[in-house]
Amino acid sequence: MDNKFEVYQNDSIGIINYRGSTAKLISWIENCYSAMIPANGSILLNEQSFNYKFAEDALAAVHAGYALTVVIISEDLIEQINALNQAGIHHIIITGHSQGGALATLTRAYLENLPAGVLPENNRYKTYAFAQPMSGNKEFAEEYDTRYSHLGTSYSIVNPKDPVPYMPFNYEEERLVTKEKVVSWLLGTKEIKPKKLGQDAVIRLFEGGLTGYINNSNALINRILDFKFGSITMPEFVADINYYPTGERKELPKFDYPKIEVDVTGLTEAELDDLVQDEDGTWFKKETKFFQHKPYNYYVGVLKKWQYPSYDALDLKYLSGDL
């Protein structure tokens, strides 16, 4: 699925770091393979059965694409953890950005639920997921948070202006409008978000159809993956599309898009649509759609938020390629 992880060693700590999505089609098939499968089951790859377990709760379900990836790389992953253990390292940080953050979360869940004896019981894991899309349903998220996040061993670092942490589909389970919500909106203690309210209503209205649509689309992805892996048999998809976030949430401030002045001489109306004009009539580059999601911006944002001295020493506060 074009995934890679790197392993680092820093004194007594090991670090497993997943990269995010790449430009290859198979990487985006992984993201779009968003139907949920049970969090405990087996996957058949080329007639070889791979058992997996991401949670104890029988109602827990996880993202099919990310779960499949963790299962595919599990042997390499366990081999690398064994190598760290042989070097005397049993404290291991699991991290990643975007798709890599979702994989970090599911890797943590996978490792913690391995059968006894596969890895030493004295291994201790900690997870830092950056800009991660969600990786499971409410039951999965609640168990994950109870076992790891609430104990201070799993964090989700997000920029609220970044659209990716709100993916895939999710909505509020409780009633859309309650007396308590109305009071909080009137008092200003909670912001009313009409767009989110409308999305929740639409998703709920058509949930059965959406679930069927997603499952049918993902059945097609199954067939596409057969070409890559030879043959693949996934567990039956569950009737759930309501993803929930995991990890103790730490928010970064919105990333500042630099004002880049543009000479508009000779530009057409269509070309001007890609620019923005200030009150003085000066034209500037318009912020690109996923600027708030870029990994380097997260790195800079972390240094700035937690006041690391290395922030002031940065030569580049942003990468030109991200503009």
Side-chain angles (χ1 to χ4, degrees), residues 260-284:
I260 303 171
E261 190 172 342
V262 177
D263 181 3
V264 298
T265 305
L267 294 186
T268 65
E269 287 294 328
E271 290 170 328
L272 289 176
D273 286 341
D274 293 328
L275 306 176
V276 63
Q277 192 176 28
D278 69 6
E279 61 277 5
D280 297 326
T282 306
W283 292 88
F284 297 91

Side-chain angles (χ1 to χ4, degrees), residues 98-99 131-134 159 161-168 290 293:
S98 191
Q99 183 186 88
Q132 62 167 329
M134 293 173 283
N159 164 9
K161 296 298 182 181
D162 178 358
V164 172
Y166 304 100
M167 299 176 181
F290 279 92
H293 181 65

Side-chain angles (χ1 to χ4, degrees), residues 11-238:
D11 296 327
S12 61
I13 296 175
I15 301 166
I16 296 169
N17 177 38
Y18 284 100
R19 76 175 178 189
S21 304
T22 70
K24 291 187 178 180
L25 176 62
I26 192 67
S27 181
W28 287 92
I29 286 176
E30 178 182 345
N31 289 329
C32 295
Y33 197 20
S34 60
M36 291 192 199
I37 59 173
N40 189 353
S42 64
I43 294 173
L44 201 63
L45 291 174
N46 288 326
E47 300 183 358
Q48 183 178 356
S49 182
F50 292 85
N51 296 325
Y52 68 84
K53 185 176 181 182
F54 295 101
E56 297 280 356
D57 193 326
L59 296 177
V62 293
H63 186 289
Y66 302 147
L68 173 60
T69 295
V70 172
V71 170
I72 289 172
I73 66 173
S74 59
E75 291 182 354
D76 289 337
L77 186 68
I78 290 169
E79 180 183 339
Q80 292 298 321
I81 293 174
N82 275 323
L84 289 171
N85 294 160
Q86 289 167 13
I89 295 173
H90 295 274
H91 292 270
I92 299 169
I93 292 172
I94 310 168
T95 188
H97 172 269
S98 191
Q99 183 186 88
L103 294 177
T105 297
L106 281 185
T107 293
R108 171 71 181 279
Y110 179 85
L111 293 174
E112 297 278 13
N113 287 284
L114 282 173
V118 176
L119 286 171
E121 292 184 4
N122 61 336
N123 279 339
R124 295 293 178 265
Y125 304 104
K126 201 166 187 178
T127 315
Y128 293 90
F130 296 84
Q132 62 167 329
M134 293 173 283
S135 52
N137 66 357
K138 184 179 182 180
E139 287 79 9
F140 169 76
E142 287 183 341
E143 179 180 320
Y144 182 94
D145 286 342
T146 298
R147 293 176 65 181
Y148 319 122
S149 310
H150 297 164
L151 300 179
T153 66
S154 187
Y155 294 90
S156 178
I157 299 92
V158 301
N159 164 9
K161 296 298 182 181
D162 178 358
V164 172
Y166 304 100
M167 299 176 181
F169 271 132
N170 69 97
Y171 62 91
E172 294 184 9
E173 258 195 349
E174 65 270 15
R175 288 170 56 196
L176 284 176
V177 179
T178 63
K179 181 178 71 175
E180 291 76 14
K181 281 187 179 180
V182 172
V183 170
S184 66
W185 293 336
L186 291 173
L187 296 178
T189 56
K190 187 174 182 180
E191 181 185 0
I192 180 171
K193 297 180 179 178
K195 183 178 179 182
K196 180 69 166 68
L197 199 62
Q199 288 172 338
D200 285 353
V202 170
I203 291 171
R204 233 180 275 191
L205 181 63
F206 297 105
E207 181 178 7
L210 282 170
T211 303
Y213 173 77
I214 290 171
N215 288 350
N216 288 336
S217 299
N218 282 254
L220 173 61
I221 291 177
N222 259 3
R223 293 197 289 274
I224 293 171
L225 292 176
D226 279 345
F227 288 105
K228 180 172 178 63
F229 296 110
S231 68
I232 176 171
T233 304
M234 296 289 285
E236 285 192 20
F237 300 135
V238 302

